[in-house]
Amino acid sequence: MALRNPIPAAAFLLATLVPPAAGAIDASGPGPDIQALQQRIDQWLDGYRHGDVDRMMDVFSPDFTDEQQGTPGELDKARVTQSFKAVFAKYRTDIDAVTDELRVSGDMAFDRGHYTVTLTPKAGGKPVVQQGRFLEVWKRVHGAWYVQHIVDMHDPAPADAG
Amino acid sequence: MTRLLQTLLLAAYLGATAAPAWPGAVIGPVTSGDPKDLAALQQRIGQWIEGYNGADLAKLGEVLSADFSYEQQGLPAQPKDAVMKGYADLFAKYDTRIEVDTRELRVSGDMAFDRGRYSATSTPKAGGAPRVQRGRFLEVWKRVGGVWQTQRFVNIDDPAQ
C-alpha cells in the first residue's frame, strides 16, 4: 500500500465512532435513528478493540470508500479489510474517540469527530499513538445503517511507529 | 509560502464542487434523490463556482451555512468567518480559476452530500507563475428555509505543484 505512514492508514479510518458521553454530542434527527446509528458505531468500535474484522466490516456498505491525505485515491472496502487484517496481525488495538456531531435526514446521516488510536506491538515495543479527525456519510439500506464514505484526517504517525 | 498563506489558499478551494452552468464542471454519473433537489443543488454549486471565478465574496459566501466548517489534515477546523477572510485575501492577491469533477451527488430529505476532485489555478496579480492545486473533497449540505447550504467540507489536497 503506497501510504506515507508506516502503519496502514486504514487502521485509523473510522477511528471515529464512539458512543458519546451523554449530552456531549451535537445531534439532530429522529431519536430512534440516532440510537440505531450509535449502535452501529458501537459495533464497529467493539470489532476494532477485539480485532474482529468481520464485525467491523459489516458496518461498511459495499460501495464504501475511505479517503485521506497521502493516498493517491480512494480505498475501497476490500482494500480497507486487507489493511485492518494486517494491523490486527501485528498489534493489539484500542481506540478512544468522540463523536462531536451526528445528524440524520431520511436515509442519510453524517457524523464527525476526533479520535486517539493506540497500537501496541504484539511482538513487543512501545505503543504507537495516533490522533485524528473524521467526517463520514451514512446510508440506510433495508433498515440498516452503513458507512458509505469517510474522510480521515490523521496526524502524522510518530517516527518510531511500526 | 507561509503557513498562513497556504491556509488561505487551501481555504479557497472549499466548496470546490461542480456546476453544470460552468463550462469546466463535470457532474458524475452517480446521483440519487429527487431530481428537483439535485437540480437545486447543482444551481447552488454553480453559484459557488461563479463566485469563486468572479472573486465575488457575497455570491460565494451565500452558499455556506452560518455554522459552516472547513477541515483538512494538519489544520484546525475553520469556521465561516475565517474562511471568508481567506477568500478575501486570496482574491486580493490572485486571479483564481477552478475546475471541478463532482463524481457523486446524493440527496435525502433536507440533507445531501457530494464528493469529487478539483483543480484550482491561482495566478499572482503582481506577476509570476500560476500555482495549480489539485485535490479531492467531501461535503455535506443542509436545506434551511428551502435553500441548500454547504455545512461541512473536508479537503484532501494533492501535493502542491
Side-chain angles (χ1 to χ4, degrees):
Chain A
M1 180 183 297
L3 299 175
R4 289 177 179 168
N5 272 311
I7 296 173
F12 307 114
L13 76 89
L14 268 205
T16 59
L17 324 162
V18 161
I25 190 171
D26 183 4
S28 64
D33 291 340
I34 297 291
Q35 190 173 28
L37 281 158
Q38 289 178 340
Q39 287 177 352
R40 294 291 273 173
I41 290 169
D42 288 345
Q43 176 181 334
W44 189 91
L45 287 170
D46 186 63
Y48 187 88
R49 290 177 177 132
H50 291 89
D52 186 340
V53 175
D54 290 342
R55 185 166 172 78
M56 294 168 62
M57 301 314 292
D58 176 65
V59 181
F60 295 162
S61 68
D63 61 346
F64 168 83
T65 65
D66 164 44
E67 296 191 80
Q68 54 190 282
Q69 200 82 41
T71 59
E74 64 192 33
L75 303 175
D76 62 16
K77 185 173 181 176
R79 193 73 173 272
V80 170
T81 300
Q82 186 180 33
S83 295
F84 278 126
K85 287 181 177 177
V87 168
F88 294 147
K90 293 180 61 178
Y91 299 93
R92 291 194 306 276
T93 53
D94 195 14
I95 183 170
D96 181 16
V98 175
T99 300
D100 297 313
E101 182 177 13
L102 174 58
R103 303 192 187 281
V104 184
S105 177
D107 292 326
M108 183 183 293
F110 80 87
D111 69 334
R112 53 194 284 269
H114 57 282
Y115 63 86
T116 300
V117 166
T118 303
L119 305 179
T120 304
K122 291 180 176 178
K126 292 192 299 184
V128 175
V129 177
Q130 186 156 29
Q131 297 178 320
R133 291 172 286 145
F134 64 91
L135 170 67
E136 62 184 350
V137 175
W138 297 74
K139 66 176 178 180
R140 180 164 45 193
V141 180
H142 302 308
W145 286 101
Y146 297 91
V147 178
Q148 186 174 19
H149 301 295
I150 183 169
V151 175
D152 176 32
M153 298 160 276
H154 57 80
D155 298 336
D160 61 349
Chain B
M1 181 179 299
T2 67
R3 183 175 180 83
L4 174 60
L5 181 55
Q6 185 180 39
T7 300
L8 296 174
L9 286 169
L10 292 171
Y13 306 129
L14 73 94
T17 55
W22 183 60
V26 176
I27 294 292
V30 181
T31 62
S32 66
D34 188 323
K36 292 180 181 177
D37 291 337
L38 294 171
L41 281 157
Q42 289 172 355
Q43 287 181 350
R44 295 291 276 172
I45 290 168
Q47 176 178 333
W48 186 91
I49 291 176
E50 287 177 7
Y52 186 90
N53 288 333
D56 186 336
L57 286 171
K59 191 169 190 174
L60 180 156
E62 202 269 329
V63 180
L64 312 182
S65 70
D67 64 343
F68 171 82
S69 67
Y70 167 90
E71 293 186 84
Q72 76 171 56
Q73 185 164 303
L75 294 173
Q78 302 290 311
K80 182 175 180 177
D81 58 349
V83 170
M84 294 308 297
K85 185 176 183 302
Y87 280 130
D89 192 58
L90 178 77
F91 295 153
K93 297 177 180 175
Y94 297 88
D95 292 322
T96 55
R97 189 73 184 174
I98 191 165
E99 296 182 18
V100 180
D101 175 6
T102 296
R103 298 183 176 181
E104 185 172 3
L105 174 61
R106 298 186 188 276
V107 185
S108 177
D110 291 325
M111 183 183 293
F113 78 85
D114 66 335
R115 52 193 287 269
R117 299 190 62 89
Y118 66 85
S119 176
T121 303
S122 301
T123 304
K125 291 182 176 179
R131 177 178 183 269
V132 178
Q133 178 72 51
R134 296 184 174 86
R136 293 166 278 155
F137 65 89
L138 170 66
E139 67 181 338
V140 178
W141 298 75
K142 66 175 178 178
R143 181 162 43 191
V144 180
V147 177
W148 286 102
Q149 297 179 317
T150 301
Q151 185 177 20
R152 304 285 172 251
F153 185 95
V154 176
N155 175 60
I156 308 166
D157 60 310
D158 296 343
Q161 298 181 350

